[in-house]
Amino acid sequence: MKQIVLMGVMAMAVVNMQAQDFKAPLQKTFLAFDTTRDESVKLEQSNKLSLIAKKWNNDWITHYYASFSKTVLSFLEKDATKRDAYLDEADKEREDMMGILGKENDETYVLSAMIANARMAVDPMNRWQKYGQLFSQNLESAKDLNPDNPRMYYLQGIAKYYTPKAYGGGKKTSLPYFEKADALFAKESGGDITKPYWGKDKNAYFLGQCKIADKD
């Protein structure tokens, strides 16, 4: 009986060690990716996130961050073909993630919205109708599951911020979204890599930009 109990304790210890093993490198790598402004470093850290997703292939969150990082790289890239190639990788990681989860949650919908927005940004004139609709639909689905997710308001703010004033965008229009996100970000504890908490610092930046008057 004692041997059985000991084996059970050892098994639990192994499970805990495995969980810690993926959390530490994931946290470190994601923070390095998210905080650098050097695009070459961002690419390096994104590739590390992909390797982490391969090593811990059965944890949905590793695929989430790999997908997120490829989407961010697409926004930073200038070449349209390379931008779509990054998003192909993002979509593949997202598919792997959903294969593990089995159903959507608010964070997966937000990620899908972000990918759709990145696809549209590659060729806005020809893609706005398809991907603009997907962007909105995914954010609405996220809102249905969790209306207090700050990342969906942040993404809406970004979309409005970069939309020309003539089409209903600009600083004044985007400001309420950034303000809403800011209030909700303040309620997040953050720090747990298994629960996405990205976006707070960048939302604060755009919130500040919206309060600076345009020079007409």
Side-chain angles (χ1 to χ4, degrees), residues 144-160:
D144 288 341
L145 292 177
N146 180 15
D148 292 331
N149 187 319
R151 277 159 291 284
M152 59 188 180
Y153 300 105
Y154 164 67
L155 291 183
Q156 286 177 305
I158 290 291
K160 291 291 185 181

Side-chain angles (χ1 to χ4, degrees), residues 58-216:
N58 294 322
D59 293 287
W60 75 272
I61 198 68
T62 62
H63 297 285
Y64 172 94
Y65 285 108
S67 180
F68 173 87
S69 71
K70 300 304 179 186
T71 307
V72 172
L73 289 178
S74 177
F75 279 115
L76 298 175
E77 177 60 53
K78 293 181 174 61
D79 182 86
T81 301
K82 290 181 180 179
R83 294 180 77 174
D84 272 328
Y86 279 132
L87 294 172
D88 290 341
E89 293 182 61
D91 278 329
K92 177 61 171 62
E93 292 289 356
R94 189 191 181 283
E95 287 172 10
D96 290 342
M97 175 187 73
M98 292 311 303
I100 297 165
L101 275 175
K103 65 176 182 179
E104 302 275 4
N105 60 43
D106 58 308
E107 297 294 357
T108 64
Y109 278 127
V110 169
L111 178 61
S112 293
M114 188 176 176
I115 294 172
N117 198 33
R119 288 284 189 191
M120 180 172 62
V122 176
D123 186 5
M125 291 297 292
N126 294 309
R127 295 186 179 184
W128 69 268
Q129 192 165 15
K130 176 182 178 179
Y131 290 106
Q133 185 176 19
L134 285 173
F135 175 76
S136 298
Q137 287 174 346
N138 278 293
L139 289 183
E140 282 300 315
S141 295
K143 189 175 183 178
D144 288 341
L145 292 177
N146 180 15
D148 292 331
N149 187 319
R151 277 159 291 284
M152 59 188 180
Y153 300 105
Y154 164 67
L155 291 183
Q156 286 177 305
I158 290 291
K160 291 291 185 181
Y161 186 90
Y162 286 109
T163 297
K165 288 183 180 179
Y167 295 97
K171 291 181 177 181
K172 185 177 180 180
T173 307
S174 62
L175 178 60
Y177 294 100
F178 293 128
E179 289 178 329
K180 176 72 171 179
D182 185 61
L184 293 173
F185 273 124
K187 296 179 181 180
E188 285 193 335
S189 57
D192 184 351
I193 196 64
T194 65
K195 298 176 181 178
Y197 58 90
W198 57 268
K200 183 176 182 178
D201 291 344
K202 293 177 178 61
N203 186 81
Y205 167 78
F206 281 102
L207 182 58
Q209 291 300 303
C210 286
K211 294 178 179 180
I212 300 173
D214 287 325
K215 295 180 180 179
D216 295 325

